[in-house]
Amino acid sequence: MRKNTVCCRVGAVPVGGGEPVVIQSMTNTDTEDAPRTAEQVVQLAKAGSELVRITVNTLAAAQRVAEIRKRVCDAGVDVPLVGDFHFNGHKLLREVPECAAALSKYRINPGNVGRGSRHDENFVTMVKVAMDHGRPVRIGVNGGSLDPALLDELMDANAACAAPLSAEAVFNEAMVQSALRSAALAEATGLPHNAIILSCKLSRVQDMIAVYRALAARCDWPLHLGLTEAGMGAKGIVATSAALAVLLQEGIGDTIRASLTPEPNGDRALEVRVCQQLLQSMGIRPFTPQVTACPGCGRTTSTVFQSLAQRIEAHLRTRMEVWKGVHPGVENLQVAVMGCVVNGPGESRAAHLGISLPGTGEEPRAPVFVDGQLVKSLYGPGLADEFIEMVDAYVQRRWPAHS
């Protein structure tokens, strides 16, 4: 990660300064419904979200924030809540001080704080509330709500140039300048330098990459990465991974979110798991044991290896609820479940534990490798249970429980 960033603390969570990349998510419940919102905050936090953002868009919503905070704490979850403000945040934070106190960070969109003279006035009001409560601020610029006055200013200046840039390039520069100018105004108001996080979100992957590269080169504030709207299903996951992976590989990004559109009544925590898998796949942060499984081919017409891979995945997810508290380091566990002799033995040797199931026409035995060594072969319908027992025993030996 960028080692030259300042470290901003959001509650007890450090962001930037070379600290591990932080995973963030956001509720999609009506914040006025405190029980449902608190329930989803708990769900997201238990899935691994280290910051959870909630919409604060009405007076009634602001009046429920302290109750949401209490309900989350009563559930035994201590996760920082971030308030997402647009249009009326300057009023809500002043009118409902208990809301301002219950939140660990305020997100301000400089494109939605007002027009003309009210723009700076409303922005400064929110910053002063943050200062009063000792809270950091994320200045979050969005491509879909970019300050039109700033964009017009830069477009006019560009038109007067002898060699004008493209409209896209000017738009991206306006995104960067909106974040930097707003951060400068926050500091001039008195907000500490280490109480600011920036983001410049767009929905197009290449534009987002270009904007964050420019932003990272011109400041030392921590950066929150994410597409504004990634989309649904595979499209959303792929777009998020494509954009974030490029930037993270370059050391850009201190906190991330996968802004996925869930299926109706779908699992909101999917966006958390996508972020975890992205960071773990890139070798940036481990979160949970990983299962390597082959995709299958004409040599693996049996579905036994697929079923076993599913069982192992489910078993590890369930056991991690206990393991992560008593077996530190178990998140690094690598298990291979392979379907034939082509790559099976090699992949199995490369994992902590691996099993190579017989492919079509192969001898009906499944050699098991532990730390690269062949230890035994399993046979028959009970091999899945026996292999799972070996996994559990390995965890006990490799990462002994704390007394």
Side-chain angles (χ1 to χ4, degrees), residues 114-270:
R115 298 288 179 262
S117 61
R118 291 185 178 179
H119 179 280
D120 287 3
E121 178 184 341
N122 294 344
F123 181 86
V124 166
T125 295
M126 299 180 73
V127 169
K128 286 183 175 178
V129 174
M131 291 163 54
D132 291 343
H133 290 274
R135 299 294 190 263
V137 164
R138 171 159 73 91
I139 297 169
V141 181
N142 281 355
S145 52
L146 180 60
D147 182 355
L150 173 59
L151 182 59
D152 288 345
E153 173 194 331
L154 296 189
M155 285 291 187
D156 290 343
N158 183 65
C161 291
L165 302 173
S166 68
E168 181 180 83
V170 177
F171 187 93
N172 290 350
E173 174 62 17
M175 293 281 292
V176 174
Q177 288 207 27
S178 179
L180 295 178
R181 291 187 188 189
S182 299
L185 178 56
E187 280 199 299
T189 304
L191 191 67
H193 189 73
N194 65 350
I196 297 172
I197 297 172
L198 301 183
S199 66
C200 284
K201 291 188 172 184
L202 301 103
S203 294
R204 295 190 298 271
V205 171
Q206 294 296 346
D207 286 341
M208 178 194 154
I209 292 171
V211 165
Y212 273 99
R213 281 173 172 165
L215 187 61
R218 291 155 67 177
C219 75
D220 66 352
W221 284 298
L223 302 181
H224 169 66
L225 304 185
L227 294 167
T228 314
E229 301 94 8
M232 298 183 71
K235 184 268 181 187
I237 294 172
V238 170
T240 294
S241 300
L244 270 59
V246 169
L247 293 166
L248 290 168
Q249 188 67 22
E250 296 177 6
I252 298 171
D254 303 282
T255 170
I256 64 173
R257 182 191 174 207
S259 298
L260 305 178
T261 304
E263 299 289 341
N265 301 312
D267 182 5
R268 188 67 169 181
L270 173 62

Side-chain angles (χ1 to χ4, degrees), residues 21-24 43-50 240-241 244 248 256-258 260 269-290 317 320 324 331:
V21 177
V22 172
I23 293 176
Q24 184 173 160
Q43 173 200 4
L44 291 167
K46 288 186 174 180
S49 184
E50 294 154 307
T240 294
S241 300
L244 270 59
L248 290 168
I256 64 173
R257 182 191 174 207
L260 305 178
L270 173 62
E271 65 177 56
V272 179
R273 294 194 294 274
V274 167
C275 287
Q276 289 179 327
Q277 191 59 58
L278 173 61
L279 293 176
Q280 186 146 357
S281 295
M282 295 184 68
I284 294 173
R285 277 187 73 183
F287 292 94
T288 188
Q290 298 290 285
R317 280 198 303 271
M320 272 301 288
K324 65 184 179 183
E331 64 274 8

Side-chain angles (χ1 to χ4, degrees), residues 45 71 149 168 181 201 217 229 231 233 278 283 297 309 318 348 362 367 374 384 401-402:
R71 286 176 175 271
E168 181 180 83
R181 291 187 188 189
K201 291 188 172 184
E229 301 94 8
L278 173 61
C297 67
T318 300
S348 296
E362 295 178 19
L374 175 63
H402 279 320

Side-chain angles (χ1 to χ4, degrees), residues 89-97 100 124-126 128-129 132:
H90 58 290
K91 294 182 179 179
L92 298 179
L93 286 170
R94 283 295 190 199
E95 293 175 6
V96 191
V124 166
T125 295
M126 299 180 73
K128 286 183 175 178
V129 174
D132 291 343

